[in-house]
Amino acid sequence: MEGRLNLSKWSKKRKWLTILLSVFGAFFIGISIYAYTLYSSVERTIESIHEPIERVVSEKRVEEVQFEEQDPISVLILGVDERKNDRGRSDTMIVMTVNPSTKSMQMVSIPRDTRTEIIGRGFDDKINHAYAFGGVEMAMDTVENFLDIPIDYFVKVNMEGFQDIVDAVGGVTVNNGFAFDYSGYTFNEGEITLDGKKALAYSRMRYEDPRGDFGRQDRQKQIIQAVIEEGASFSSISKFDDMLSIIGQNVKTNLTLSEMFDIQKNYKDARHSLEKLQVSGSGQKINGIYYLIVPEETRIGLSTKLKEHLNVNNSAVTKKN
């Protein structure tokens, strides 16, 4: 009798153990399927946005970047105003340098009216015309020449789709320096939260800003930094599918999937420290066209600072003439 009772108890325990293991098994299988689906979705999106360029390594690099060794990298962010049957012009040009050893980033906006040599054309013009003349590669070459640093990667964003990216991360919060009205919206001074449409308007205003295009550049950098922070947060995982869809429609880059994973693994802590740099100069009309003229000492000072952040040897990297 006692043996049958013990057998009965063991049967019940085994039954509950089987149920418990089945639940854990189902949970594990579910997580595995979700992870695989997530990975497959990311892989498909990266394939669709990947836009390889002919040059594999920048001419200003002595050696190829090694992610495992946490070599500092640079990225050219192009905000492009795309038009039908026309590649358009780069409305926004931002260079971001990332140094994982110092856990820091530097970000510099290049005013679109900056006068410099257009590499591949052999004449001086507004720097944002480089993209219109020769696409991403001419833009990268021209920015390299202007800043005298290697440009390793590019990320091209359709500005009309930028508002969708902001919405995909649930909006952004920025600290507005002064109150202004623009494009039907009122932006109060202080901390404000913006959806996609408001963020696009906030980043485009310049005529009411006392600093003109420089003020607009700072607001653009604010939005980009806020998107990076929101995109990296855990809460953004729930919006992952939306983010992937929007990115697939509005972003192009020469980064591969494995390179993105390497950057996420080895460089992610750098996002917590961001220094914003400025290209300064004076406005001047040449043949009736307005340009921003950047003094040579200003350009060299900025270049030196970026080189230090990239751990680039000045003797190994020289400006093209």
Side-chain angles (χ1 to χ4, degrees):
M1 182 73 175
E2 185 178 349
R4 280 187 303 214
L5 285 173
N6 288 336
L7 185 61
S8 176
K9 287 180 180 178
W10 166 245
S11 297
K12 288 180 179 178
K13 286 180 180 178
R14 188 172 61 181
K15 180 180 179 182
W16 281 109
L17 182 62
T18 301
I19 292 172
L20 190 61
L21 288 174
S22 298
V23 170
F24 276 118
F27 177 75
F28 177 77
I29 291 170
I31 290 295
S32 299
I33 292 172
Y34 177 73
Y36 174 77
T37 303
L38 206 61
Y39 178 83
S40 298
S41 298
V42 170
E43 191 174 33
R44 286 194 300 271
T45 300
I46 300 306
E47 286 177 359
S48 70
I49 71 173
H50 183 59
E51 186 174 281
I53 55 178
E54 287 188 6
R55 64 172 192 173
V56 179
V57 182
S58 164
E59 290 182 4
K60 292 185 178 290
R61 279 283 181 197
V62 176
E63 296 178 350
E64 190 172 350
V65 170
Q66 299 296 323
F67 294 114
E68 298 79 8
E69 296 178 11
Q70 296 193 327
D71 290 341
I73 61 172
S74 62
V75 181
L76 173 62
I77 302 172
L78 295 168
V80 178
D81 179 20
E82 294 183 339
R83 305 164 190 177
K84 189 175 181 181
N85 300 322
D86 183 1
R87 67 162 58 101
R89 292 181 181 176
S90 50
D91 184 62
T92 302
M93 302 182 83
I94 295 175
V95 173
M96 183 182 294
T97 59
V98 187
N99 188 322
S101 298
T102 59
K103 296 182 179 180
S104 63
M105 297 194 306
Q106 290 181 346
M107 187 186 295
V108 55
S109 293
I110 305 175
R112 59 184 181 179
D113 294 330
T114 300
R115 184 177 172 85
T116 191
E117 181 185 353
I118 305 299
I119 301 303
R121 284 296 177 110
F123 56 79
D124 290 357
D125 203 342
K126 295 185 178 185
I127 197 166
N128 74 323
H129 288 183
Y131 177 80
F133 291 145
V136 167
E137 290 191 57
M138 190 172 287
M140 293 176 75
D141 289 342
T142 299
V143 171
E144 269 197 351
N145 182 70
F146 175 69
L147 293 177
D148 193 22
I149 61 169
I151 299 296
D152 303 307
Y153 301 101
F154 79 88
V155 176
K156 182 176 67 174
V157 182
N158 176 12
M159 292 304 290
E160 288 302 320
F162 185 68
Q163 65 185 50
D164 296 328
I165 295 174
V166 173
D167 285 333
V169 299
V172 295
T173 299
V174 298
N175 191 6
N176 185 24
F178 66 96
F180 65 89
D181 295 327
Y182 182 73
S183 194
Y185 299 109
T186 296
F187 300 96
N188 296 318
E189 183 178 355
E191 190 173 276
I192 55 176
T193 299
L194 308 172
D195 61 14
K197 289 183 178 179
K198 289 181 180 178
L200 189 61
Y202 179 79
S203 66
R204 279 183 165 171
M205 190 280 286
R206 64 170 173 162
Y207 293 114
E208 295 179 34
D209 193 313
R211 297 191 300 139
D213 204 35
F214 294 108
R216 184 180 72 156
Q217 291 164 28
D218 282 345
R219 285 191 296 279
Q220 290 172 344
K221 286 183 282 191
Q222 278 185 313
I223 298 295
I224 290 172
Q225 184 179 9
V227 167
I228 291 172
E229 289 295 331
E230 290 294 336
S233 69
F234 182 79
S235 62
S236 294
I237 293 177
S238 61
K239 311 178 187 78
F240 208 77
D241 289 339
D242 290 340
M243 290 172 65
L244 287 177
S245 175
I246 292 163
I247 288 171
Q249 296 172 33
N250 297 289
V251 176
K252 293 292 182 184
T253 181
N254 61 330
L255 283 161
T256 64
L257 179 61
S258 62
E259 287 172 334
M260 290 184 187
F261 282 156
D262 283 337
I263 290 173
Q264 194 281 332
K265 177 183 177 182
N266 298 300
Y267 295 68
K268 61 183 178 181
D269 290 338
R271 68 187 172 86
H272 297 300
S273 175
L274 174 64
E275 182 181 5
K276 299 173 184 177
L277 308 178
Q278 193 77 52
V279 175
S280 58
S282 57
Q284 181 180 335
K285 279 195 173 183
I286 300 176
N287 297 325
I289 300 173
Y290 174 86
Y291 296 96
L292 178 76
I293 306 299
V294 179
E296 185 65 3
E297 59 270 23
T298 300
R299 187 198 66 79
I300 291 174
L302 179 61
S303 174
T304 300
K305 190 172 182 64
L306 291 169
K307 285 176 183 176
E308 289 174 354
H309 195 239
L310 288 170
N311 295 341
V312 170
N313 187 337
N314 281 316
S315 63
V317 180
T318 55
K319 189 175 185 294
K320 297 176 185 176
N321 293 316

